[in-house]
């Protein structure tokens, strides 16, 4: 059951409504929180009824101009109860089929002074919470100097309030996978969108990573956290994908395992069974989506580091190699999808 937070930077345009529909479908989202909508209160219902007519939603209307934060959830899969609202935070209780936890969505204002109300609100909530707590969203603040690249030099006063909140409330950032920076204006890269959890969360919840996918044409990446992993329904039948035949060790693996058993039909069946086992191992070692994501991430990070004037030849060679790997894994992915479509 995924939870997603996303700074949409204006939600009046139709193409962003379509983008949200695609996100809900692609990530199989049960709850999504969007911020910086810039939508007037009288337009919220009409927009949501077009995108998710059977879902429920809540905004912090009345606490700031144009509903800065919306929380939208599927009532068939999740129950969300609002407990506290301000102009920078919506806090509530999330109940799934197997879990229950406190959940806060944040959208920090753009200056250190105006964000202080957010830190005070979160500290007050922390004093009341004795159960797992997850905070996600756009804090509009960084923690370390490494959280900003190519912008002005990070000063101590920029990180002071965030650090104090983490230390006083004993909160930690949830580990992430994917992009390093969550926002860019194509000149500066910053890590301002995060998922923060308390000690009760770390003790009672399984170790989960926040996924930060590519933002595509937008300036903010969304955050995706799978809080309820579905149980495995049982053994899955092995499917041979054609791309495995191009693997360097494929022929040797088949030859070695086919030669193990000799005889009539029973021998053929045993050989096929043994080869299937080895092919499953081979398939497990070449997880296409993970490899594709890994190469894409490495390429994006490398290209980000090549924006300056002083770029050595090793980086150009590395970029060329990563592009070749990206083409390879895209072809593998295409082959798999083509084979699945034929089935």
């Amino acid at each position: 059951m995924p939870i997603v937070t996303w700074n949409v930077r204006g939600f009046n345009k139709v193409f962003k409504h379509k983008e949200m529909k695609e996100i809900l479908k692609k990530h199989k989202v049960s709850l999504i929180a969007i911020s910086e909508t810039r939508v007037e209160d009288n337009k919220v219902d009409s927009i949501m009824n077009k995108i998710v007519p059977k879902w429920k939603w809540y905004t912090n209307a009345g606490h700031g101009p144009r509903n800065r934060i919306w929380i939208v959830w599927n009532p068939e899969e999740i129950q969300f109860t609002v407990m506290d609202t301000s102009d920078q935070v919506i806090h509530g209780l999330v109940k799934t089929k197997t879990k229950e936890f406190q959940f806060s969505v944040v959208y920090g204002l753009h200056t250190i002074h105006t964000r202080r109300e957010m830190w005070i609100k979160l500290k007050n909530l922390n004093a009341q919470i004795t159960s797992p707590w997850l905070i996600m969203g756009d804090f509009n603040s960084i923690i370390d100097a490494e959280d900003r690249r190519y912008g002005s030099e990070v000063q101590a006063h920029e990180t002071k309030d965030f650090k104090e909140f983490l230390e006083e409330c004993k909160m930690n950032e949830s580990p992430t996978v994917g992009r390093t920076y969550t926002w860019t204006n194509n000149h500066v890269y910053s890590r301002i969108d995060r998922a923060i959890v308390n000690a009760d969360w770390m003790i009672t919840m399984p170790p989960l990573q926040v996924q930060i996918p590519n933002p595509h044409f937008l300036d903010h990446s969304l955050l995706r956290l799978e809080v309820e992993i579905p149980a495995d329904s049982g053994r899955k039948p092995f499917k041979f994908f054609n791309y495995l035949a191009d693997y360097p060790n494929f022929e040797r693996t088949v030859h070695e395992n086919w030669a193990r058993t000799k005889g009539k039909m029973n021998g053929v069946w045993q050989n096929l069974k043994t080869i299937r086992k080895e092919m499953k191992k081979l398939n497990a070692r070449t997880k296409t989506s993970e490899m594709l994501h890994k190469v894409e991430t490495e390429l994006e990070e490398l290209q980000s580091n090549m924006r300056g004037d002083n770029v050595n030849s090793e980086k150009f060679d590395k970029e060329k190699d990563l592009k070749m790997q990206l083409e390879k894994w895209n072809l593998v992915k295409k082959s798999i999808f083509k084979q699945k479509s034929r089935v």
Side-chain angles (χ1 to χ4, degrees), residues 99-117:
K99 296 187 183 342
E100 180 178 316
F101 56 91
Q102 306 274 334
F103 178 55
S104 299
V105 181
V106 301
Y107 173 54
L109 295 179
H110 291 83
T111 68
I112 295 172
H113 176 72
T114 53
R115 279 196 298 271
R116 281 179 184 147
E117 288 298 321

Side-chain angles (χ1 to χ4, degrees), residues 20 28 73 85 89 93 114 153 245 267-268 281 292-293 319:
M20 181 171 167
K28 300 178 181 179
W73 68 96
T85 308
V89 181
L93 179 67
T114 53
E153 185 177 351
V268 174
K281 291 180 182 179
L292 190 59
H293 178 72
E319 182 186 35

Side-chain angles (χ1 to χ4, degrees), residues 43-140:
K43 296 181 180 179
V44 177
D45 288 352
S46 61
I47 292 175
M48 285 292 96
N49 280 319
K50 289 178 182 178
I51 301 174
V52 281
K54 295 182 180 180
W55 287 31
K56 293 184 177 182
W57 53 87
Y58 177 83
T59 77
N60 64 342
H63 293 272
R66 298 192 176 184
N67 308 284
R68 287 195 179 97
I69 307 172
W70 298 5
I71 296 185
V72 188
W73 68 96
N74 184 351
E76 295 182 359
E77 297 181 6
I78 200 170
Q79 180 183 337
F80 179 71
T81 306
V82 179
M83 301 172 70
D84 202 323
T85 308
S86 68
D87 62 337
Q88 300 181 74
V89 181
I90 294 180
H91 175 76
L93 179 67
V94 172
K95 290 184 179 180
T96 71
K97 294 178 181 178
T98 62
K99 296 187 183 342
E100 180 178 316
F101 56 91
Q102 306 274 334
F103 178 55
S104 299
V105 181
V106 301
Y107 173 54
L109 295 179
H110 291 83
T111 68
I112 295 172
H113 176 72
T114 53
R115 279 196 298 271
R116 281 179 184 147
E117 288 298 321
M118 177 181 71
W119 302 123
I120 292 171
K121 168 64 69 176
L122 293 174
K123 288 178 183 179
N124 290 338
L125 287 171
N126 177 69
Q128 305 166 25
I129 292 173
T130 58
S131 57
W133 184 23
L134 168 66
I135 310 172
M136 288 180 71
D138 179 2
F139 288 85
N140 254 319

